[in-house]
Amino acid sequence: MTTAFIFPGQGSQAVGMGKSLADAFPVARAVFEEVDAALDQKLSALIWDGPIEELTLTANAQPALMAVSLAVIRVLESEAGLSIGRDAAFVAGHSLGEYSALAAAGTFSITDAARLLRIRGDAMQQAVPAGMGAMAALLGAELDLARAIAHDAAQGEICEAANDNGGGQVVLSGAKAAIDRAIAMAGERGVKRAILLPVSAPFHCALMLPAAETMRAALADVAMQAPVVPVMANVGAAPLSDPDAIRISLIAQVTGTVRWRECVVAMQAAGVTRFVEAGSGKVLAGLVKRIAAGTTSVSLGTAEDIVNYKSQNG
């Protein structure tokens, strides 16, 4: 069985995530303590006690989700003998989850990943004035149709495919008026549903260019090692191991489409038969089931999940 470890992105946050891990396993508690120290903030208290409105702020949600994912990995290493280099063929993450994947594979330290994600979250939030951008999910649309709708809805404004999540789910991002036009057009083009998403900024489109420049500077200052296994990168949907190529890809990811469907297809084509989602929620495992028939997927986010996983995997 060939395994890929996958890491969730924004939207998977929940108050209390990771608490059972920290209570049961000192190595998990140490991850949260390291993130708190890196950010000079008691982020762990916000993660476990809320309020959800503050946790959901981009600058908090991004390092918080990474912390939970890396806590899962550290527990798997200590309790189940996991070695990413030995036991995984690839790592991959959805948007901010790509930083979690890279930290799990040794490219970034947890401290550097937390600081980068705080910078990234702040920069993405500040790139567009509040209320000027929006995102919408098109359900029952493949990428080509979504891109055609985005093109026709733009009318001189930014409107682009932000996430190709697979299973007929594509997210558009751009100027608020253009996204409103896209939602109106979607029904006329045969899209089952078009839903305005409750997000604070229009991620993964050209409006994020100021944030991409911020990340170019931030990534230039951080030590990066080659990952112990390739990362299946969001923007290229291709495996990367060279730190310079990874740096370039992470900068492009801020404004580029998250090609999640193609990432999963590529990993399956390379022989992956099992996907292990490490972190909060079960979103990615659900997407994998729709994209990669014949593979198995499991989500690990709680102490109970890991005990069950360990019993099933020796």
Side-chain angles (χ1 to χ4, degrees), residues 37-55:
L39 300 179
D40 195 22
Q41 174 194 5
K42 197 71 173 170
L43 187 65
S44 57
L46 178 59
I47 294 169
W48 298 331
D49 301 325
I52 185 62
E53 294 80 12
E54 192 174 342
L55 178 60

Side-chain angles (χ1 to χ4, degrees), residues 12-283:
S12 290
Q13 67 273 4
V15 171
M17 63 183 183
K19 183 72 163 64
S20 68
L21 295 170
D23 287 345
F25 304 108
V27 290
R29 196 155 53 250
V31 170
F32 291 103
E33 290 169 355
E34 183 173 349
V35 171
D36 286 350
L39 300 179
D40 195 22
Q41 174 194 5
K42 197 71 173 170
L43 187 65
S44 57
L46 178 59
I47 294 169
W48 298 331
D49 301 325
I52 185 62
E53 294 80 12
E54 192 174 342
L55 178 60
T56 299
L57 293 174
T58 302
N60 291 326
Q62 295 198 20
L65 284 161
M66 183 278 298
V68 178
S69 288
L70 268 293
V72 170
I73 293 299
R74 293 292 180 261
V75 173
L76 288 172
E77 289 169 346
S78 68
E79 298 296 315
L82 172 70
S83 164
I84 291 285
R86 181 193 65 219
D87 299 327
F90 300 97
V91 294
H94 192 286
S95 189
L96 83 89
E98 193 158 272
Y99 286 78
S100 306
L102 288 163
T107 294
F108 297 127
S109 68
I110 290 174
T111 291
D112 283 341
R115 289 173 177 163
L116 286 167
L117 286 170
R118 170 56 53 82
I119 292 167
R120 184 178 183 268
D122 281 336
M124 293 172 94
Q125 190 62 62
Q126 294 164 10
V128 180
M132 298 299 291
M135 299 180 77
L138 306 186
L139 307 181
E142 298 300 335
L143 184 59
D144 287 347
L145 174 58
R147 281 181 167 156
I149 291 170
H151 176 271
D152 294 344
Q155 297 179 20
E157 295 185 293
I158 299 296
C159 189
E160 297 170 2
N163 305 334
D164 179 14
N165 287 333
Q169 181 191 119
V170 181
V171 175
L172 302 185
S173 182
K176 177 67 166 62
I179 294 297
D180 288 342
R181 289 191 291 270
I183 290 171
M185 286 179 185
E188 302 164 5
R189 305 284 180 93
V191 176
K192 192 180 347 179
R193 287 180 72 198
I195 305 165
L196 192 67
L197 296 178
V199 296
S200 54
F203 306 128
H204 299 292
C205 74
L207 293 173
M208 289 287 113
L209 191 58
E213 291 307 311
T214 298
M215 291 313 296
R216 185 187 306 278
L219 286 160
D221 288 339
V222 170
M224 294 174 59
Q225 309 300 319
V228 295
V229 295
V231 59
M232 190 63 71
N234 283 183
V235 294
L240 297 178
S241 293
D242 176 69
D244 288 336
I246 291 168
R247 186 179 284 109
I248 291 166
S249 178
L250 289 173
I251 296 163
Q253 189 224 58
V254 178
T255 57
T257 303
V258 174
R259 295 165 60 184
W260 185 251
R261 174 183 57 83
E262 292 173 83
C263 286
V264 173
V265 168
M267 287 185 281
Q268 184 183 25
V272 171
T273 55
R274 180 176 67 165
F275 292 84
V276 178
E277 180 177 12
S280 179
K282 301 181 179 181
V283 170

